[in-house]
Amino acid sequence: MSFEELDEPHPLAACPVCGQPLQVAQRQVHCPQRHSFDRAREGFVNLLRPGKARKAVIGDDAEMVASRRRFLDRGHYDVLTQGLARLVEDLDADQAVEGLLDVGCGEGTFTAAMVDALPQDRPTMAFDISRPAVKLTARRVPSALSAVASVIDMPVQDHSVALLSSIMAPLHEAEFSRVIRPGGRILVVSPGDTHLAQLRQVLYPHYRPHDELVALADALPVVEQRRFTSQVHLASAQELHEVWGMTPYRWNTPLDGQQRLAQLTELDVDVHFVATVFAVPH
Ligand SMILES: [Zn+2]
């Protein structure tokens, strides 16, 4: 059952203008104050606050998003996709996840894994600042409400979210605290210390391990932590270029690092993610 069939407000989504609950209809979403937002053909909606919305290109561009999707479709991060599905199933068994919000959903592969791990009637919403990314998410996860939105100004109702996920995405703890329910869970996936170590050794003259996320600023208790690790074989110059292009490394790789990368035709790399679940007090 999708919320567009219901004549009632979406349990999570809020109007970016006035903050009231949004009602989701076939072609648009609107609030009781009649602020309305058209849904794109793929079903997603632009909920960037008007005025902030029309800047040229923000977030990952279409090429970066497409390269990320191709990379993920090769299965290189299946250890994370499958690990997330198991983790969300376990969290739901422990305490029903009545409302999942995926913050910084990217192209939606991880969103899909989490949504598919939940019973179908659970309200879900996913957003990202990148319109090309949200377009792919809307196609892959049609049961979720997908939106273009910013993590610093989330179009989400106060204290409505049972499980907030941030998978390799920016953290904005003040907004997380505003939208999470009492007793809710915040799931953060960040790179482990050895994540893509061999690639970074190629790119940077002075390799050092990733700093791992240890805590959120408000010192919420950790109720679960899982590591997902594997080793993947990047089998062509194209795959190497793809993985580089979908990481933040693309912004700060020195020229000699880019040249070393361009000379490689294959590389075995460690994949290492840390999933940490924080409990929000009742
Ligand atoms: Zn409104």
Side-chain angles (χ1 to χ4, degrees), residues 30-44:
H30 61 92
C31 77
Q33 307 257 38
R34 300 191 187 176
H35 301 122
S36 87
F37 308 88
D38 289 341
R39 301 181 76 185
R41 197 180 46 218
E42 295 82 4
F44 69 91

